[in-house]
Each structure stands twice: as C-alpha cells, then as structure tokens.
Amino acid sequence: MPRIRHDPVASRHTPVASRHTPVASTEARLLPSGGAIDAHRHDDHQIAYAARGVVGITTDAGSWVAPGDRALWIPAGAVHAHQAHGELELHLVGLPAADNPLGLDRPTVLAVGPLLRELIVAYTRTPDQDTPERARLRAVLLDQLRASPQSPLHLPTPATPLLRALCALLEADPADGRTLAELGRAVGASDRTLSRLFRADLGMTFPQWRTQLRLHHALVLLAEGLPVTTVAHRCGWASASAFIDVYRRAFGHTPGGRAPR
C-alpha cells in the first residue's frame, strides 16, 4: 500500500521515484489536511473521490483537483501522488484495466451526481465482500461512469523553461495581476513568444491557464475553510462577486453551495 505522509506544502510535480502497487485498492480512508500518498502506480484503473475535503493528484504532466461533486479517474500505469486539501474522506475504487467505460488514457476529472456519489460511497464501504448484490452495485456504478461528463480541471505542467519560469511566478502568488508582457520582461521573453508557447506547449491561452491556476488554488483554500471573500482576493479576483461568477461557470454552483441535483 502506498505510504501516507503529512506534507502541508506539497509540490505540484510528482517525484521521479515511485512504487509499483499492482492492484489498485478499493477502500475508504481519512487523511488529515495536508496529508499525502506518495507517488506510485498500479496495473489497474482507479477512481478517487472526496466525500469531504478536496482531493488532488499530481503527475509529471500536471495536476488535477476534485471537490465533492467531482471525481478523479486515474488510468492504469499512471504515476501519481495524492494530496489532501482540508480534512479528506477519500474513497478509492479500483477497476481492472479491461474496465474503462469512458476509454480514458490520462487522468481526468469527472462530474459526480448524487447517484454516482452514493454508489461510490456504498461500494467502498464493504470492499472485501464478494456477493451478488455487490456485483450488481458495481455494474450500476460502471453504467453511471459511462454517463459522467468530463470536466476541464487540469492544470498542465509546462515543458519549456520559459513557461516553467513564468508559471512558477504565478504559482507562488496566484493574485499576481501582471500582464503577459510584464511577466515576459521578468523572464526575458516577449508576450508574443509566450502566447505562442502557451498554445503550443499547454494547449490553452495564457488567460485560460491563469484562470485554471486560480480555480485550483481557490478549491484548496475553500477546503481549508477560508471565507469566500478572502479566497477571491488571495487568488487574484477583484471582488467576491467576480470570483463567484467564474466559480459558478466552472462548477455549476456557487462556492460553498451544492451541485444541482
């Protein structure tokens, strides 16, 4: 089983060293805020769901976070580390490599409706049972996964040194409001060059990446219990209302609210 550690300031980048855990576990566990499961990989797929708190995973390709109305799909063979934001009630569902209802080959955030939530919680409550009832529960869970829309909550890690330097500035301070031209002067590149690199390297524009970064940080801060206004200002929004508007468009509900049922 992967080691659990406590790391209040976790890196977004997965360590090179990792363990091979052939079977992806099906279980429920509690992690303290800042707790983490070190980098590992398994031969099965796995679903990670936070019934309380926010769960994050990091890989060499980037990071993903999921609050209570989202789950993380982790494909077989992907080296990843888990991170707990807030007190985390983590539910893990292991699935054989042949069971891939959405055909996903990379970590992905999935929307979780009320039924899928209850299925995941129920399925992880009795992981050692092998009964006809549990087999039927698993079949319904897979059916619900097939209908789960994907959510673009991926913060990719840049490969080019220029973008790594620029992104590191904003990761250290998401509220940094400098324009791309101003940031370019800090890293020694023109805004035109940086705009081209964002599209070629990360597949998104600079404003799109910065919004993703701020949403990632906002989810973490909200999980730690900070007020919405404080989160808005720490993540770079001019007002709480501006933050709430972006958050609602990204998640379908307001911060602290529940997803539509």
Side-chain angles (χ1 to χ4, degrees), residues 12-103:
R12 287 205 311 108
H13 307 296
T14 303
V16 174
S18 65
R19 285 173 303 285
H20 179 211
T21 307
V23 177
S25 62
T26 295
E27 60 177 313
R29 61 169 71 174
L30 299 176
L31 273 71
S33 181
I37 301 175
D38 288 342
H40 62 284
R41 62 184 173 87
H42 28 67
D43 298 334
D44 299 332
H45 305 302
Q46 193 172 55
I47 300 163
Y49 173 70
R52 184 171 73 250
V54 170
V55 60
I57 67 165
T58 58
T59 76
D60 286 337
S63 64
W64 292 256
V65 289
D69 58 351
R70 301 290 192 273
L72 292 166
W73 171 269
I74 305 165
V79 177
H80 62 284
H82 296 269
Q83 177 71 27
H85 304 293
E87 297 292 327
L88 179 63
E89 180 184 330
L90 178 62
H91 295 261
L92 298 170
V93 177
L95 295 171
D99 287 339
N100 192 341
L102 289 171

Side-chain angles (χ1 to χ4, degrees), residues 52 54 65-66 84 91 99 113 125 135 146 166 197 212 218 250 257-258:
R52 184 171 73 250
V54 170
V65 289
H91 295 261
D99 287 339
R125 188 177 293 130
R146 292 185 184 95
L166 185 151
L197 286 175
Q212 290 289 87
R258 293 184 176 273

Side-chain angles (χ1 to χ4, degrees), residues 206-230:
F206 169 66
Q208 289 171 333
W209 185 89
R210 177 146 65 180
T211 297
Q212 290 289 87
L213 172 71
R214 288 176 171 177
L215 284 172
H216 274 236
H217 278 266
L219 287 172
V220 171
L221 295 178
L222 289 169
E224 293 172 354
L226 271 67
V228 169
T229 300
T230 301

